[in-house]
Amino acid sequence: KGKEEKHGEQVQFAAFKQFCDDTSVEKKRAIDEASEKIDMLKADIEKYIATAARLTKEIAEHDEDISVWTGDQKAATRVREIEKADYDALHQDYSESVDAIQRAVAVLKKQSHDRKQASLVQVSSLTQLSLIPESARRAIDALLQQSQSPEGLEVSAPEAYGYEFQSQGVIEMLEKLLDKFVDERTALEKEEMNGKHAYDMLMQDLTAQTQQATQDREEKSEAKAKALQAKADAEGDLKDTSDTRKADQAYLEDLTATCEQKANDFESRQQLRTEELEAISKAIEIIS
């Protein structure tokens, strides 16, 4: 009976020891895997943090660029509006001057050819134009005074033809002014065309840069949001993995202590039973 009990204990302890060994191996493997995963998660979290920081800086740079380019567009537009207003005003002055000179020259030539005394309103209006130089105004005023002077009429208008204008010099002067104003108006139109083209090219460039920067900013904002979400997910996974590893470590410590205690208890009982069996065998020999 003692041998059977001893053998039964051996069988029972062998099964328990197998459980201890298997469970210990399993928990150690789980702890090692968790430690490796924790290291990877920590590295991932640092990477996500660095990525979000880099994208934050780049987004700020895009915001600064967009702000500067938008300001450049507004400033360029204000300058272009001022230039266009100045051009329109000056172009109108040139056009009015050209039209007035053409009418005045036509009047003077007609009077000189027909030698008729006609209205000088067209000629007189030239003195009101802002572009007419002072020397031309004086010449026109002199011509107008001569035309209104009785002495001038007596000297320069024979009875056969009536009043005769001494206007050839004024006509030549006005025709030179006409050519000058036409050339200057043409140059002004070319300058305006070049200015508008430069403005259009600048606005096209600034618009393209702003649109590209806006697109890049949106993409990086999305990437930053994904990095922060991945960081949050990794931090949650890190906490769960750390908690699980901590529980496995505690369980393994308890299991190791329990298994060692049971092994010690088993060895003690086995030793005791061995001694009991030896004593019984000796007693049997003495009795026999």
Side-chain angles (χ1 to χ4, degrees):
K1 181 179 178 181
K3 290 181 179 180
E4 290 177 359
E5 289 178 353
K6 181 180 179 182
H7 178 70
E9 276 190 357
Q10 290 174 342
V11 172
Q12 185 178 6
F13 178 75
F16 177 74
K17 186 175 185 302
Q18 187 64 47
F19 164 77
C20 288
D21 292 343
D22 293 345
T23 305
S24 179
V25 169
E26 179 184 346
K27 288 300 179 182
K28 287 179 179 179
R29 181 174 62 250
I31 290 170
D32 290 341
E33 290 176 353
S35 297
E36 183 178 352
K37 184 176 181 181
I38 287 171
D39 291 340
M40 292 178 61
L41 288 171
K42 287 181 178 179
D44 289 342
I45 290 171
E46 290 179 0
K47 180 184 68 175
Y48 296 140
I49 291 173
T51 298
R54 174 179 57 81
L55 291 173
T56 298
K57 181 179 179 182
E58 292 177 2
I59 289 170
E61 291 173 353
H62 287 312
D63 287 339
E64 177 65 20
D65 288 340
I66 292 171
S67 176
V68 170
W69 292 332
T70 301
D72 289 346
Q73 286 178 310
K74 291 180 180 179
T77 299
R78 286 195 296 270
V79 171
R80 177 90 282 271
E81 289 172 350
I82 293 173
E83 291 176 346
K84 183 63 166 61
D86 291 344
Y87 163 78
D88 289 340
L90 186 55
H91 189 274
Q92 183 177 355
D93 286 346
Y94 274 120
S95 296
E96 290 175 352
S97 297
V98 168
D99 291 342
I101 291 174
Q102 288 175 334
R103 290 193 298 269
V105 169
V107 168
L108 292 175
K109 285 184 176 181
K110 182 178 180 181
Q111 288 174 341
S112 176
H113 176 72
D114 294 343
R115 301 187 184 279
K116 293 179 180 180
Q117 196 168 3
S119 171
L120 296 178
V121 175
Q122 298 290 344
V123 179
S124 177
S125 66
L126 293 179
T127 60
Q128 305 301 318
L129 297 175
S130 61
L131 296 179
I132 297 297
E134 185 61 29
S135 59
R137 285 194 178 92
R138 289 196 297 269
I140 293 170
D141 287 339
L143 178 62
L144 292 174
Q145 289 175 2
Q146 184 182 8
S147 69
Q148 295 171 358
S149 169
E151 293 79 9
L153 178 63
E154 181 181 351
V155 171
S156 60
E159 295 179 357
Y161 296 101
Y163 178 73
E164 179 180 357
F165 289 93
Q166 299 297 321
S167 59
Q168 187 59 37
V170 175
I171 291 175
E172 292 177 358
M173 176 192 69
L174 292 178
E175 286 179 337
K176 290 180 180 179
L177 273 179
L178 178 62
D179 291 340
K180 177 176 180 291
F181 286 168
V182 169
D183 290 342
E184 289 178 353
R185 184 177 65 178
T186 300
L188 180 67
E189 291 170 345
K190 183 177 181 181
E191 182 181 353
E192 165 63 14
M193 181 179 65
N194 291 337
K196 184 178 185 304
H197 177 69
Y199 168 76
D200 291 340
M201 294 299 294
L202 174 63
M203 293 300 290
Q204 181 179 347
D205 184 50
L206 290 174
T207 298
Q209 289 179 314
T210 301
Q211 289 176 343
Q212 184 62 52
T214 301
Q215 180 180 342
D216 292 342
R217 187 198 185 285
E218 291 175 353
E219 292 175 354
K220 290 178 180 179
S221 294
E222 293 178 1
K224 176 184 174 182
K226 290 180 179 178
L228 292 176
Q229 184 58 53
K231 170 180 169 288
D233 293 341
E235 288 175 338
D237 197 4
L238 175 61
K239 183 179 183 305
D240 291 342
T241 303
S242 297
D243 291 344
T244 301
R245 184 182 69 171
K246 184 177 180 181
D248 285 343
Q249 288 172 333
Y251 180 85
L252 179 59
E253 289 176 1
D254 292 341
L255 176 66
T256 300
T258 300
C259 290
E260 288 178 353
Q261 182 61 48
K262 292 212 179 268
N264 292 333
D265 293 342
F266 170 73
E267 292 295 336
S268 296
R269 287 196 302 273
Q270 287 291 300
Q271 180 65 32
L272 180 60
R273 290 189 182 279
T274 299
E275 293 174 352
E276 289 177 349
L277 289 174
E278 289 178 354
I280 292 171
S281 296
K282 289 180 180 181
I284 292 173
E285 289 178 1
I286 293 173
I287 295 171
S288 301

